[in-house]
Amino acid sequence: MPNWLEIVLRTLIAVVVLFSLTKLLGKRQVSQLSLFEYITGITIGSLAAYVSLDLEANWYLGLISMVVWTAISLGIEFLQIKSKKSRDFIDGKATIVIKDGKILEDNLKKSV
């Protein structure tokens, strides 16, 4: 099989798998993503590119890696739902900057 055809097939497979895994992770806008979810998205995208272009390596190993990253991300999301301590550790604590209609300047300075 010519290299260009193999790259086309690998890319199509990677896009289908990437789309499926993204649907599994759920719909969110970039502004709603935690730091870990953002890193996970970038990593899964990089792995999809690896599957598409690295003709020397076995393509299925990249797909396995994409599935593992997705499983880890889903596991961490589940852990965050079940445990406030883990949610605070992974996402950080929110800082209240307005309370009862008044700006809390000390908290505002800390958050910048």
Side-chain angles (χ1 to χ4, degrees), residues 17-29 32-34 36-45 65-78 80-81:
V17 171
L18 186 61
F19 179 76
S20 301
L21 295 176
T22 304
K23 292 293 277 183
L24 183 65
L25 288 174
K27 296 179 184 179
R28 290 197 187 108
Q29 296 197 11
Q32 296 173 327
L33 295 176
S34 70
F36 182 76
E37 292 167 338
Y38 182 70
I39 292 170
T40 298
I42 291 171
T43 303
I44 291 174
S65 183
M66 290 169 65
V67 170
V68 169
W69 266 97
T70 303
I72 290 170
S73 182
L74 288 173
I76 287 178
E77 285 181 22
F78 179 76
Q80 287 178 317
I81 290 171

Side-chain angles (χ1 to χ4, degrees), residues 34-36 76-96:
S34 70
L35 180 61
F36 182 76
I76 287 178
E77 285 181 22
F78 179 76
L79 185 64
Q80 287 178 317
I81 290 171
K82 295 296 181 183
S83 169
K84 179 156 176 33
K85 287 183 181 180
S86 66
R87 183 173 48 249
D88 289 344
F89 177 73
I90 293 169
D91 287 339
K93 282 189 160 188
T95 303
I96 298 172

